Amino acid sequence: MSTLPTAPSYELACDISDKWSLEQWRPILDIICIRHNINAIKVSQNFEGTNPVFELTLDSSSDELSPVNKAYIVKILAPNFHPQYQGDYLSLKLLNHHSLGVKVPKLFYSGDVDNWPYLVIEKLDGIMLSSVLSELSTAEKCVIARELGDFSAQLHKLPENNIEGLRLDWPEFIRLQSQKCYDKRKSQGLPEPLLASLNNYLQRHTDKLSTQLNSSTAHLIHTDLHPGNLMVNLHQGQYRFSGIIDFGDALACPDPIFEFTSPALLLALGEASVFHAFLDGYGYKGKRDANLQQHMMVLSLLRHTGDINYLLEHVPGCASCVEWHELEPLFFPL
């Protein structure tokens, strides 16, 4: 019988999360099923994402789920990644009581096994946008981007008293991330020309954050609105935005532009019309200029997750860039 270490090192937690087979996870899943009276007729492992995720197919008599999706998704996280569990748990608990026009998973159960927290949530209908993005025309991407912008605007308008558990001390977050940024990006193997000018770039442009830096307001920010977390469905022959998953990196902060970075980088992928569609759907009234690009660049460099090297490889035209100002219009096309 598999047992989980209650206080694993970071390395061991990653090793278990990445390498354990379904057979090793089955005793843990059996505990969860018994605890919550889940009658699963099939269990499968999802290898996408960074945390262990499983699908439990239910028998046809289950009445908790829609007729389309007779399945639960189980996400298990190492104790080392408890902030991600909190982000998902608190966000879903809140959003299950609000309608934002786009489906988010219903949270059914939560708990822990051997100090490893888990969530049992609804499996959403549809497919990941990432699986069809390359097949879509620019016009189709713009429709989805506009709908995503509208969702983001509604998300950011949720009452502040409902998001307290996710609120960051934003000035302190920016200060600490600024201190750690160079070493973090160096450890990730950021190309030397960009690494050499990183601190200078931040010193010149961190003032772009000043307007919201000390604001007392807060918005719930998903922070990771990339195509792998967006669900789409075919509607009259066209893919439409239908759902959103993975609030593990969610936080509450005063700067809504933090939300703009992932759609600009990984949905627009260099296409200005797609990013403008997102901003239009959001109802963004600010100037769309170099200041906005620099604002998003600073937030992307300081963010708590992510690897700039991945962006250099996947955003068109970036692989040969050696200056941050060269990357601004490619990362954030306007």
Side-chain angles (χ1 to χ4, degrees):
M1 176 176 179
S2 300
T3 57
L4 292 165
T6 58
S9 65
Y10 176 82
E11 291 75 16
L12 180 57
C14 291
D15 191 60
I16 292 173
S17 298
D18 294 341
K19 297 179 181 178
W20 266 27
S21 66
L22 178 58
E23 182 179 353
Q24 291 171 293
W25 284 109
R26 278 305 295 259
I28 312 303
L29 294 168
D30 288 343
I31 291 172
I32 294 171
C33 288
I34 292 169
R35 182 178 293 172
H36 301 293
N37 296 314
I38 297 172
N39 183 16
I41 59 175
K42 180 183 177 183
V43 179
S44 56
Q45 188 168 2
N46 183 339
F47 291 97
E48 296 187 23
T50 56
N51 295 302
V53 175
F54 307 89
E55 182 175 333
L56 308 181
T57 304
L58 309 183
D59 66 29
S60 58
S61 64
S62 173
D63 58 3
E64 287 190 298
L65 302 172
S66 70
V68 176
N69 288 321
K70 290 292 186 181
Y72 287 123
I73 297 296
V74 179
K75 180 186 286 190
I76 302 174
L77 297 94
N80 317 60
F81 310 131
H82 197 267
Q84 291 185 29
Y85 167 78
Q86 282 289 99
D88 244 341
Y89 172 76
L90 292 174
S91 297
L92 294 181
K93 189 177 179 182
L94 167 62
L95 293 174
N96 285 171
H97 298 285
H98 292 270
S99 177
L100 303 182
V102 173
K103 196 82 164 120
V104 299
K106 183 176 179 181
L107 172 64
F108 287 102
Y109 310 111
S110 61
D112 71 83
V113 177
D114 295 331
N115 203 36
W116 287 57
Y118 65 83
L119 299 167
V120 181
I121 63 177
E122 175 186 12
K123 180 190 176 186
L124 294 187
D125 187 23
I127 60 173
M128 288 182 181
L129 175 58
S130 56
S131 67
V132 295
L133 186 64
S134 63
E135 304 169 18
L136 303 186
S137 67
T138 297
E140 290 172 313
K141 294 177 193 174
C142 285
V143 171
I144 293 171
R146 188 171 290 107
E147 294 169 339
L148 179 61
D150 178 67
F151 168 85
S152 300
Q154 294 186 62
L155 183 69
H156 296 175
K157 292 174 184 175
L158 290 174
E160 288 188 46
N161 62 319
N162 291 339
I163 59 177
E164 283 304 315
L166 294 164
R167 186 189 287 261
L168 286 182
D169 180 335
W170 189 239
E172 181 68 2
F173 175 82
I174 295 299
R175 185 185 70 81
L176 290 176
Q177 293 301 110
S178 297
Q179 286 181 353
K180 297 186 293 186
C181 186
Y182 181 89
D183 289 341
K184 177 180 178 180
R185 300 308 178 189
K186 182 178 181 179
S187 70
Q188 292 175 336
L190 185 69
E192 182 57 36
L194 292 172
L195 185 66
S197 59
L198 175 59
N199 283 338
N200 181 260
Y201 183 87
L202 290 174
Q203 288 168 3
R204 284 190 291 120
H205 296 300
T206 301
D207 66 314
K208 303 296 190 303
L209 312 185
S210 60
T211 303
Q212 288 90 9
L213 189 61
N214 294 300
S215 172
S216 61
T217 62
H219 311 281
L220 177 58
I221 312 289
H222 182 283
T223 81
D224 216 11
L225 296 177
H226 62 72
N229 286 334
L230 308 179
M231 306 299 291
V232 292
N233 269 319
L234 268 178
H235 178 71
Q236 297 181 348
Q238 184 175 355
Y239 283 106
R240 300 295 295 271
F241 179 37
S242 61
I244 183 165
I245 60 174
D246 197 353
F247 283 78
D249 292 326
L251 51 83
C253 78
D255 196 341
I257 291 175
F258 201 178
E259 195 79 280
F260 299 178
T261 57
S262 289
L265 289 160
L266 296 172
L267 176 56
L269 289 171
E271 293 189 81
S273 59
V274 177
F275 187 43
H276 278 295
F278 172 85
L279 294 174
D280 291 342
Y282 187 86
Y284 180 67
K285 303 300 183 184
K287 291 183 179 180
R288 305 181 185 188
D289 57 12
N291 285 325
L292 178 59
Q293 291 171 326
Q294 290 156 5
H295 190 149
M296 290 188 286
M297 182 70 84
V298 171
L299 289 172
S300 297
L301 290 171
L302 298 183
R303 68 173 289 138
H304 51 310
T305 59
D307 188 339
I308 299 299
N309 293 313
Y310 179 88
L311 302 176
L312 295 174
E313 294 170 8
H314 287 83
V315 178
C318 294
S320 61
C321 291
V322 296
E323 299 285 348
W324 292 107
H325 70 83
E326 296 178 276
L327 290 170
E328 291 169 1
L330 299 175
F331 275 7
F332 311 108
L334 292 171

